[in-house]
Amino acid sequence: MQYRPSKRRGLGVLRTLLLVMLRSRSIITLALVIVIPISITTVLILGSEVIQERVAIISDMVKGTSVIAYITHMNNTKSCVVASVTNVTISNGEESIEVLMMTTGDVNKFLDLLKVRVIKSLGKSIDSSLGIELARILNLSVGKHITVCLNNSCMKLIVDSIHSCRCILDYSLIVRSNVSLGQTLVLLEVPRKVIASSILVSTSKDLTKLMYVLSFMTIISYIVLIYLGFKRLALSIRNDVFLIHEIGITLRSIRLCFAIAATALSLILTLYGTALGLVITHSSIWVLRFFNVYLPLRPTLPYLWLTISSLMMTAIAFPIGYITSRGWEHGG
Amino acid sequence: MGVEWLILTFKCLGLRIIAIITTSILLLIIALTLISGCVMGLYTFYDELTIPERVKDRAVVVMGFALAPFTSLIRISSIKSLTSNISSLLSDVGYEVITIALIGNDSVIVRGVNKDFLKKYVNYTVIKGVDVNDLCYVCAWIGESLANDLNVNVGDTITLYSLFTQVPITLKIKGILRIEEPYNYEVIVPYKLGQLLRGTSGDTASIAILILKNGVSPNEVLSKLSLPSSRMSYLLERVFIALKHLGKEVKLSMYRYASEVLTERLGIPRNTLIAITLAILFIASIGSYIVGLVPFILNKEELKLIHEQGVAWGRIRFTIVFIGVIAITMTYLITKFLVSSLPHLINVSILHHKLSLTTDVSIDIAIPVFTALFYVLGSITGDVIED
């Protein structure tokens, strides 16, 4: 007479199956098909961690300040300057050129914030300042008149000052106005590493994405092999399974226990593969010193990846374990 | 018995086993090709950035001895004195300024170019807006792919931040270009504006592209510059010359790849990188050992039966090896075809540039050889004896 095992008896079957599986020679095959892809993916994920750690180190090394512009409107505090940016055509009467015009309530504060040097000016308070390169192209100097045209409406301005910064503002016109023309920007001084970090993080994200894509691909390419590893294991222990069956446990229950045991084994092998990947990566970083590359990095595996790989292995191992043991019901 | 044993073994194995072997090997070879292709693609990423597609077979690129084209800086006067002796071999010299800038939360490559050079050597059409103009200091043009990625259009204003400038740069998109790689994934600005973004001015560039006259080989250029051309394995190969400024002296070094300059700076030779890739491929291909065991796992009873009918185990194993080798060859050729016709098979971008899968001869050989090696090992050691 066959019956479903009690909870205690079920645990006994599970323990017996685990012992039988561990004693089987086929466990080596299973270990290979799980440990290899997991250690490769661990190395890839740790590679992306190395990149991120390098980014943090490089960003920290960037000194000085930069001006950052927020497009959304903020409260005007002492440290920030509100400006608007638009394209205008300026003319000296003979030549005209399309340039960037910045309008702000306080030109002096704007120039101070952006560390722009005033080369010539009519007075201390500046109403309109022309970039040095623009002045050279249009052959203009302080006190001269220019015509500024925006959307077919033109006005005349006197150039109050000429500024220089070896930056884009050398080709721009800055005008005092409280009227916002074009796009409004809130300019704020920030440590330069904020921008450096944004650029590097954005680039490193691309590399991290690549590493994750390659990791998933490696595991997917091994799914059929994992199935074969389980199949071999299931076949190698079938005599022991029949013995358990003969003492009255249903094959369905044994199959379920096999799937659970296979999942547990897979998780252990996943941890083993992860540890192996960690050792390989850290050893590789150490070996790099012989090529004169010193990386003061100790990458750690993100918990997220550990969770993903464990969940993925459970999702793969349990159904495969159950399917591969199907042969027992047909005597194979 | 003739070849009856072969037919018998084939029949015994059946289509199911052949299909499982082929599928497993196909998946494994695709993974190996993609992994190695991506590693090598990352390695040669800078090469793709430096030479326009249209002149890639007749150009020599000169760059600074820097980590990347974005940090490279060369003096145009140095290039002019360098090329004065070889002017008879050159049809033109173009200069470009390349830098990374941030637009919103995205890092993009901004390239400062001269309109004339672009018109002469780069295939492009303006699909929206106006053509590139050297004299506009507030204008930017954008490659169609990048415009789609960033969702910007003609007339939009973009604010760029560069590592090399302290102030944000606000530019107006004047045109969207359908332009060849690598420009398709970049923001194109007039040369002067590119210099401002790179935080430089006057007599400087990131790279110089020496366009060779028809019929002139890079070897001739190298020999005239007293550089060893022994590393050039064949004509019309890509050549990069790096300028090292040692005090007041300028030293020239020749490289086959722009990325070799980077690896020389970091101290990892190209051969080491290939060796690491080969090691990864070797470990990853161990999986094919299990594929070699497939008939012994899934068709154990049938194999026993034909053995009892008189087919020697050696012949059975030979048939399994034969099937595997054919499957490896076929799947490898299919994968190569797939990769060569779809170089952007993996949709991964770096700085909005689609990563191209590239390869190396040693890796091309290693993938089928390693896979076959472990498969044969599995087929030879596989047995039907139960534990």
Side-chain angles (χ1 to χ4, degrees), chain A residues 93-316:
Chain A
E94 294 164 5
E95 265 183 284
S96 60
I97 184 167
E98 192 180 353
V99 299
L100 204 72
M101 181 175 82
M102 296 203 156
T103 54
T104 176
D106 188 338
V107 176
N108 293 71
K109 193 176 169 186
F110 178 87
L111 295 176
D112 279 350
L113 177 74
L114 296 168
K115 297 185 178 62
V116 179
R117 207 154 44 95
V118 176
I119 293 173
K120 279 182 193 168
S121 74
L122 288 176
K124 275 192 176 174
S125 173
I126 301 169
D127 283 341
S128 62
S129 185
L130 200 62
I132 188 162
E133 289 296 331
L134 211 50
R136 192 182 49 77
I137 293 166
L138 294 173
N139 197 21
L140 288 167
S141 187
V142 288
K144 294 277 172 101
H145 284 271
I146 52 169
T147 310
V148 181
C149 296
L150 172 69
N151 301 334
N152 299 327
S153 65
C154 299
M155 60 172 181
K156 284 210 163 190
L157 281 177
I158 297 172
V159 178
D160 268 356
S161 88
I162 305 280
H163 63 257
S164 163
C165 63
R166 282 194 166 196
C167 66
I168 187 71
L169 296 177
D170 286 351
Y171 294 89
S172 311
L173 170 70
I174 302 159
V175 175
R176 186 171 67 81
S177 168
N178 288 320
V179 181
S180 176
L181 300 166
Q183 191 177 43
T184 303
L185 300 174
V186 179
L187 301 166
L188 190 70
E189 195 169 39
V190 291
R192 205 167 192 179
K193 67 179 175 190
V194 172
I195 289 171
S197 162
S198 305
I199 291 176
L200 294 168
V201 165
S202 160
T203 313
S204 74
K205 264 185 191 166
D206 295 337
L207 291 171
T208 304
K209 186 185 163 195
L210 175 67
M211 297 300 181
Y212 272 85
V213 168
L214 290 180
S215 301
F216 282 111
M217 228 162 46
T218 309
I219 290 180
I220 287 167
S221 73
Y222 261 76
I223 284 183
V224 180
L225 302 181
I226 292 172
Y227 168 82
L228 293 170
F230 275 120
K231 186 78 189 169
R232 189 175 152 96
L233 186 66
L235 286 174
S236 70
I237 63 162
R238 64 178 179 168
N239 288 341
D240 301 273
V241 168
F242 292 144
L243 276 176
I244 298 170
H245 181 52
E246 272 170 20
I247 60 168
I249 312 289
T250 61
L251 270 177
R252 203 177 156 181
S253 306
I254 302 173
R255 281 181 66 193
L256 192 68
C257 286
F258 176 77
I260 295 168
T263 310
L265 265 180
S266 306
L267 286 176
I268 294 167
L269 291 170
T270 303
L271 283 178
Y272 182 76
T274 308
L276 192 67
L278 265 166
V279 171
I280 292 171
T281 311
H282 284 267
S283 320
S284 309
I285 291 174
W286 185 79
V287 166
L288 277 178
R289 68 184 58 207
F290 298 110
F291 296 98
N292 287 326
V293 181
Y294 291 90
L295 293 175
L297 305 168
R298 297 283 174 270
T300 49
L301 205 63
Y303 288 117
L304 177 70
W305 176 249
L306 258 179
T307 319
I308 291 174
S309 61
S310 307
L311 284 175
M312 210 157 56
M313 203 39 85
T314 312
I316 293 170

Side-chain angles (χ1 to χ4, degrees), chain A residues 72-92:
Chain A
T72 49
H73 197 78
M74 284 169 57
N75 287 332
N76 188 3
T77 63
K78 275 182 187 173
S79 57
C80 67
V81 170
V82 180
S84 63
V85 186
T86 188
N87 281 22
V88 292
T89 307
I90 64 168
S91 153
N92 60 358

